[in-house]
Amino acid sequence: MDARKLAEEILKLVGTSSNVSHLEHCSTRLRFNLKDDSKADIDKLKKIPGVLGAVQNVQTQIIIGNSVVEVYNEINKLLAGNLSGETEGPKKSIKLSARILDFIVSIFQPLIPAIAGGGILKSFLMLFALIGLLDKTTQTYQILFFIGDAPLRFLPLLVAITTANKLKVNQLVALSAVAALLTPDLSVMLTKGAHLFGLTLINVNYSYQVFPAILCVLFYSQLEKFFTKIVPKVVRTFFVPMFSLIVVVPLTLFILGPLGFIFGQGFASVIMFMFAKFGWIAVAVLAAFLPFMVVTGMHKAMIPYVITSLGQTGKEIIYNAASLAHNISEAGANFAVSLRTKDKNLRSTAISAGISSLFGITEPALYGVTILHKRVLYGVMIGSFIGGASLGLMAVEAYVAVGPGLATLSMFISEKLPNNLLHAVIGLLISFIASFIATFLLWKEPALEDTDKNDSDKTVFSAPAEGKVIALENVNDEVFSAKLLGDGVAIFPSIGEIYAPFDSTVKMVYKTKHAIGLETDSGQEILIHIGIDTVNLNGKYFNVHVNEGDKVLKGDLLVTFDIEKIKGEGFDPTVIFVITNPNPSKITVKDKDNIKKMDNLLTIA
């Protein structure tokens, strides 16, 4: 995959760099805050090779998969720091609940790598201690444990940075305000009974806490704006931070800190109460609905609970167990599909996605297989429910905030519960087997499931050009030859004319005129791409005779182009004809070496 090229395509379709106010990423998704959401073309984004899917709610989310970091880095280079954070265009009508969710996710999502890295280190240390490779009493063990524990111990500092980044205030001043709460001398003073301005301070241990830091930075953001307005510019650089710190730190010690601490304790207690009340049912139901939550991005709403629970109690008992059941069920279902399907492309996708799911990354499976085939979705839900129920009944606890999978099973290692890891493995096996069996029994090939077995359900497309027929896999372009955009055929043209292969609607005409998208009345989507890399000609030697939205009849002239001049510029003029609908039914190409316009070219059964 060419990360640079993919980044350029994505940036163009979200409205170019001028439309981006904020960009972040999670383990599989790019998350854009756009100045004008209407400028993003979600339909075209979904069709880019390398993009697994795209959704738009509070943010514009583009699912990339395992290569998300590389694409994110390339987009950042293209943006080159030109993120203003300003909005323009139509005002977004967003519910208050959606805004709150966006605020919370923006704060907690960036914390995951640091917390996960430290947590996995601690879990491996416990494993080494259990099997006798490392003595817990040694300073080596203790220092390594301090390293692993640091992200959670100093969680308030990390939260200060992400909150300040979201609120677009001075990060270092916000960090300093929260750091004051963690000063070792102040912590000792609070335990002995501290007084400020003659008033007693409540003894709160701010290590491992989240909400006191959020409240502190929220209030600081308002102070910064207020003092910036009233302080003269000549002394603003140092007086605004000074006045803000003088006000916000004492207020946090007196009111905001204790309030945040009490809220955090109550938040974790509510979850623990739900588990005590509903037990394994809560885990099973959550696991069964995770496919829908992950597709819509709503699973991110669970992150604050997971991080708070780990900070408050050192463990988490619902979400990670449900996530393990779902991740492994995706793997089981995809491997079942790979054995049952006769579609080579689907088999390849299912195997790759199944392996990815085993290691905790489910988006390739969800977008590539599960949500495209309802029977697979049912199999995943069945496996997730059964696996989640087993993990809930065994009360499996997680100790790290990371996507559960084979590589991260150490997240379930416990010194107090020696069988916790074993129970997690048992739940993993149950999830895989249940999902595999359910999907294996439910599966039917799409052509058999959705169409009658007779010729009346066949769609015949005529040749859009005259020339020599070439198998798509022999085209000198990796994207088309690998059938990443869909199945079809190619023609090396003898005449520079493109005709409508079927009665259809023009859905898309590329600005560079080298490609055109059509859609039949039955919903079949067609891409006719003229030449290899001819996008670089910027429309030169092409003439398009239709506009987007036009209704065209079979045989209507769509595009004319100059074959010799295109070849003279060093480009291959091969015409590529693909059906871009995901996983179409069987495609049969006429067995001809040469073809004339309007000859039958391919059939979709």
Side-chain angles (χ1 to χ4, degrees):
M1 182 193 70
D2 187 337
R4 179 74 175 191
K5 184 177 180 180
L6 181 55
E8 291 172 348
E9 285 291 314
I10 289 172
L11 201 54
K12 179 175 69 175
L13 291 177
V14 298
T16 72
S17 58
S18 63
N19 194 39
V20 180
S21 62
H22 179 72
L23 172 65
E24 59 192 33
H25 75 87
C26 57
S27 58
T28 57
R29 302 169 186 235
L30 298 169
R31 295 170 172 269
F32 288 89
N33 285 83
L34 302 179
K35 299 175 185 178
D36 185 353
D37 284 343
S38 65
K39 290 183 178 180
D41 194 325
I42 300 299
D43 290 334
K44 290 184 181 178
L45 282 166
K46 291 178 180 178
K47 296 175 182 177
I48 299 176
V51 171
L52 299 175
V55 293
Q56 192 173 67
N57 35 58
V58 177
Q59 292 179 313
T60 298
Q61 301 178 27
I62 301 172
I63 300 90
I64 302 297
N66 297 334
S67 302
V68 67
V69 174
E70 289 80 3
V71 179
Y72 170 82
N73 290 337
E74 291 298 332
I75 293 179
N76 257 343
K77 293 176 186 177
L78 294 170
L79 291 171
N82 296 324
L83 300 182
S84 67
E86 300 173 355
T87 58
E88 61 183 34
K91 293 292 183 180
K92 301 179 185 179
S93 178
I94 303 174
K95 294 181 180 178
L96 177 61
S97 58
R99 291 183 181 275
I100 293 173
L101 177 61
D102 173 55
F103 177 74
I104 292 173
V105 171
S106 296
I107 291 172
F108 285 91
Q109 177 66 47
L111 302 174
I112 294 297
I115 294 173
I120 290 293
L121 173 58
K122 288 198 298 182
S123 64
F124 274 120
L125 287 173
M126 285 188 283
L127 175 62
F128 295 155
L130 285 172
I131 61 179
L133 289 179
L134 197 58
D135 188 345
K136 290 176 61 177
T137 62
T138 64
Q139 289 189 347
T140 298
Y141 179 95
Q142 293 171 8
I143 291 174
L144 291 175
F145 189 88
F146 293 155
I147 295 172
D149 193 50
L152 275 179
R153 179 180 291 273
F154 296 105
L155 190 56
L157 301 181
L158 306 185
V159 169
I161 294 172
T162 57
T163 307
N165 182 53
K166 178 62 178 176
L167 296 173
K168 297 179 175 60
V169 295
N170 191 304
Q171 294 182 10
L172 295 181
V173 177
L175 182 64
S176 300
V178 176
L181 307 177
L182 299 174
T183 305
D185 292 340
L186 177 60
S187 299
V188 173
M189 191 182 296
L190 287 172
T191 60
K192 295 179 179 179
H195 297 80
L196 180 62
F197 306 130
L199 300 174
T200 303
L201 295 176
I202 298 175
N203 179 21
V204 174
N205 181 7
Y206 290 104
S207 299
Y208 303 97
Q209 301 295 317
V210 170
F211 294 103
I214 293 175
L215 293 178
C216 177
V217 179
L218 272 170
F219 190 72
Y220 160 67
S221 69
Q222 301 305 311
L223 288 175
E224 183 186 81
K225 293 175 184 177
F226 172 73
F227 286 126
T228 299
K229 289 180 180 179
I230 66 172
V231 172
K233 291 183 179 179
V234 68
V235 293
R236 185 179 293 168
T237 302
F238 47 90
F239 271 106
V240 169
M242 183 191 75
F243 288 142
S244 298
L245 289 171
I246 287 175
V247 175
V248 74
V249 175
L251 184 66
T252 302
L253 289 170
F254 278 122
I255 301 173
L256 301 179
L259 277 177
F261 177 77
I262 292 169
F263 180 80
Q265 293 283 345
F267 186 51
S269 297
V270 167
I271 300 296
M272 298 294 284
F273 171 79
M274 288 177 61
F275 183 77
K277 189 75 174 176
F278 301 104
W280 62 270
I281 292 291
V283 181
V285 172
L286 177 59
F289 279 92
L290 270 176
F292 305 103
M293 294 177 68
V294 175
V295 166
T296 59
M298 289 303 296
H299 65 304
K300 299 300 180 185
M302 299 296 293
I303 293 175
Y305 149 67
V306 172
I307 293 177
T308 302
S309 181
L310 289 173
Q312 297 286 343
T313 67
K315 63 183 180 181
E316 191 280 312
I317 55 177
I318 296 180
Y319 177 72
N320 279 293
S323 187
L324 176 65
H326 169 242
N327 293 352
I328 302 304
S329 292
E330 289 285 355
N334 275 263
F335 284 127
V337 170
S338 71
L339 290 178
R340 290 295 310 274
T341 186
K342 298 176 182 178
D343 185 328
K344 293 181 180 180
N345 291 328
L346 179 56
R347 180 181 297 116
S348 175
T349 300
I351 292 173
S352 174
I355 293 172
S356 179
S357 296
L358 283 176
F359 290 90
I361 304 298
T362 58
E363 273 85 353
L366 276 165
Y367 289 95
V369 180
T370 304
I371 64 173
L372 299 178
H373 303 276
K374 61 184 179 183
R375 291 174 179 270
V376 181
L377 176 60
Y378 298 155
V380 169
M381 293 180 70
I382 291 170
S384 297
F385 184 89
I386 295 173
S390 66
L391 290 162
L393 285 168
M394 292 182 288
V396 172
E397 298 178 355
Y399 306 99
V400 182
V402 66
L406 290 181
T408 55
L409 278 175
S410 60
M411 67 188 289
F412 298 104
I413 294 174
S414 171
E415 293 178 326
K416 296 180 180 178
L417 300 173
N419 290 328
N420 194 68
L421 177 60
L422 175 61
H423 290 161
V425 173
I426 292 172
L428 179 153
L429 293 173
I430 291 173
S431 302
F432 185 92
I433 293 170
S435 178
F436 181 91
I437 293 174
T439 306
F440 193 88
L441 295 175
L442 288 171
W443 176 258
K444 286 185 180 179
E445 286 294 300
L448 297 179
E449 181 180 13
D450 299 327
T451 62
D452 294 327
K453 303 176 188 178
N454 56 59
D455 291 340
S456 64
D457 290 320
K458 293 181 179 179
T459 302
V460 179
F461 291 92
S462 62
E466 292 189 9
K468 182 180 179 181
V469 178
I470 302 171
L472 194 59
E473 50 266 31
N474 294 332
V475 170
N476 189 27
D477 185 291
E478 292 182 357
V479 172
F480 289 112
S481 63
K483 301 183 180 180
L484 297 179
L485 280 176
D487 203 353
V489 68
I491 301 171
F492 192 86
S494 56
I495 299 175
E497 296 174 347
I498 300 296
Y499 297 91
F502 201 86
D503 294 353
S504 50
T505 301
V506 179
K507 301 298 290 186
M508 179 172 55
V509 177
Y510 281 76
K511 292 181 180 179
T512 49
K513 305 177 184 179
H514 74 293
I516 188 168
L518 306 173
E519 184 178 6
T520 69
D521 292 340
S522 62
Q524 289 288 355
E525 297 172 0
I526 305 159
L527 173 66
I528 302 175
H529 190 284
I530 308 167
I532 307 297
D533 294 328
T534 46
V535 63
N536 297 309
L537 291 172
N538 293 315
K540 192 164 56 171
Y541 312 133
F542 293 93
N543 188 19
V544 179
H545 302 279
V546 292
N547 298 307
E548 290 186 4
D550 285 356
K551 296 283 188 180
V552 294
L553 300 177
K554 180 177 179 179
D556 285 352
L557 182 64
L558 303 178
V559 183
T560 53
F561 56 100
D562 193 316
I563 297 175
E564 294 306 317
K565 288 184 178 179
I566 291 174
K567 290 165 66 176
E569 294 275 1
F571 293 97
D572 181 343
T574 298
V575 175
I576 300 157
F577 177 38
V578 295
I579 310 298
T580 59
N581 296 57
N583 297 308
S585 303
K586 184 177 180 181
I587 290 180
T588 304
V589 179
K590 291 292 182 181
D591 186 15
K592 289 186 177 181
D593 289 333
N594 291 283
I595 200 160
K596 299 290 185 181
K597 71 174 183 177
M598 307 319 297
D599 283 354
N600 291 342
L601 177 63
L602 61 81
T603 303
I604 299 179

